[in-house]
């Protein structure tokens, strides 16, 4: 399957980038090495100068793709949400049982990521760590309303709506499908963060298999019962 889909790309809102990095070898290297540097040093210490040195290029070549590192981060976040949506759709395809669809959807969104060879230039495991650590910084800005108006978060909104529709399809009488969908998406990231940095605030054990997925499946079905 990875070979058959090796040329698959995920569509990101055009106004986030100047030139789509998925369209060229240099652009894909920019994404690949941005993830590596941000994963290692954090978003605050990440600079286009460091990135350019890592890919043996110059800063001006990076600026041909992104206006600044905030826009690059928005691109990575959008790519991550688009990848989760791709996984979700793939997992529930041709499944008729509504309970199984919902379980699979939650699993696709909350499970520990593994590198997906479908997109060879992105390390999904490393990107997931970045999303857990850094994604809130892209939302919690003074410009969030304007950026939302400009469609920067359209993929996230679409993913929430898709999961909300699956929840509503399972229980049409439930009043808060979008709220619950948001809780699963954002809660999974928050629980990952707490489990990594505040283990004393987490009930999960190292020996548990996919404990975050188990928790959110439990929470969701209890809420819908």
């Amino acid at each position: 399957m990875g070979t058959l889909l090796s040329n698959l790309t995920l569509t990101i809102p055009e106004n986030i980038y100047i030139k789509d990095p998925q369209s060229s070898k240099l652009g894909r290297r920019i994404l690949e090495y941005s993830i590596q540097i941000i994963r290692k040093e954090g978003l605050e210490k990440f600079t286009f100068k460091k990135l350019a040195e890592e890919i043996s290029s110059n800063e001006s070549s990076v600026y041909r793709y992104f206006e600044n590192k905030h826009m690059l981060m928005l691109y990575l976040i959008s790519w991550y949400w688009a990848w989760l949506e791709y996984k979700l759709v793939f997992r529930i395809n041709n499944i008729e049982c509504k309970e199984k669809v919902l379980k699979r959807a939650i699993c696709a969104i909350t499970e520990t990521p593994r590198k997906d060879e479908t997109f060879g230039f992105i390390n999904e495991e490393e990107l997931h760590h970045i999303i857990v650590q850094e994604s809130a910084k892209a939302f919690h800005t003074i410009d969030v309303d304007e950026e939302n108006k400009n469609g920067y978060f359209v993929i996230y909104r679409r993913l929430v709506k898709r999961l909300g529709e699956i929840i509503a399809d399972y229980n049409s009488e439930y009043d808060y499908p979008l709220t619950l969908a948001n809780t699963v998406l954002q809660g999974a990231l928050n629980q990952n963060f707490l489990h990594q940095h505040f283990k004393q605030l987490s009930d999960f054990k190292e020996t548990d298999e996919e404990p975050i997925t188990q928790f959110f499946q439990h929470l969701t079905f209890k809420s819908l019962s």
Side-chain angles (χ1 to χ4, degrees):
M1 180 61 71
T3 302
L4 291 174
L5 299 176
S6 59
N7 294 320
L8 183 66
T9 59
L10 300 177
T11 303
I12 308 302
E14 293 182 359
N15 50 357
I16 290 179
Y17 55 83
I18 298 171
K19 178 180 179 180
D20 190 353
Q22 294 185 85
S23 66
S24 70
K25 182 177 180 180
L26 176 60
R28 292 191 292 271
R29 281 173 59 82
I30 287 173
L31 296 179
E32 179 182 359
Y33 284 90
S34 293
I35 291 170
Q36 292 181 16
I37 298 171
I38 297 172
R39 171 69 174 88
K40 181 179 179 181
E41 301 187 13
L43 184 61
E44 286 81 4
K45 294 182 180 179
F46 170 79
T47 66
F48 281 0
K49 181 178 180 180
K50 289 181 180 180
L51 173 60
E53 291 173 352
E54 194 69 28
I55 63 176
S56 301
S57 186
N58 50 64
E59 285 187 74
S60 61
S61 66
V62 181
Y63 280 107
R64 286 199 289 270
Y65 289 86
F66 295 103
E67 181 180 349
N68 51 51
K69 71 177 183 180
H70 175 66
M71 301 306 291
L72 170 58
M73 188 65 194
L74 285 176
Y75 189 99
L76 293 176
I77 292 171
S78 295
W79 195 97
Y80 179 78
W81 295 129
W83 177 64
L84 285 190
E85 184 180 35
Y86 158 81
K87 282 207 308 173
L88 186 157
V89 171
F90 189 81
R91 294 279 182 86
I92 67 174
N93 187 41
N94 293 326
I95 304 297
E96 295 184 2
C97 174
K98 294 179 181 181
E99 179 179 352
K100 185 176 289 188
V101 167
L102 183 52
K103 282 184 176 179
R104 288 194 174 198
I106 295 170
C107 183
I109 287 170
T110 62
E111 68 185 355
T112 303
R114 300 286 184 265
K115 194 170 190 318
D116 186 347
E117 295 302 330
T118 304
F119 309 96
F121 57 95
I122 296 286
N123 185 322
E124 290 81 8
E125 295 178 65
E126 295 287 290
L127 179 56
H128 175 255
H129 181 89
I130 291 172
I131 300 302
V132 168
Q133 298 290 130
E134 311 282 357
S135 64
K137 299 170 186 176
F139 283 94
H140 298 171
T141 69
I142 194 68
D143 299 318
V144 64
D145 290 330
E146 187 66 23
E147 291 178 347
N148 188 33
K149 180 181 177 181
N150 290 334
Y152 291 3
F153 306 109
V154 64
I155 298 176
Y156 177 75
R157 299 202 310 263
R158 190 174 68 212
L159 180 57
V160 171
K161 183 178 179 182
R162 188 183 293 275
L163 181 57
E165 289 172 348
I166 293 172
I167 291 170
D169 192 43
Y170 177 80
N171 183 349
S172 60
E173 296 182 357
Y174 186 68
D175 292 330
Y176 311 105
L178 290 177
T179 302
L180 183 55
N182 264 302
T183 298
V184 173
L185 283 162
Q186 291 297 326
L189 297 181
N190 188 50
Q191 290 302 322
N192 266 284
F193 183 87
L194 292 174
H195 187 54
Q196 291 176 30
H197 302 289
F198 296 90
K199 292 186 184 296
Q200 65 272 33
L201 300 180
S202 173
D203 297 307
F204 306 140
K205 301 177 178 63
E206 296 298 335
T207 55
D208 291 341
E209 183 177 351
E210 297 294 348
I212 294 174
T213 295
Q214 291 185 37
F215 170 73
F216 280 104
Q217 286 180 338
H218 174 81
L219 177 67
T220 299
F221 284 100
K222 280 291 186 180
S223 297
L224 296 175
S225 64

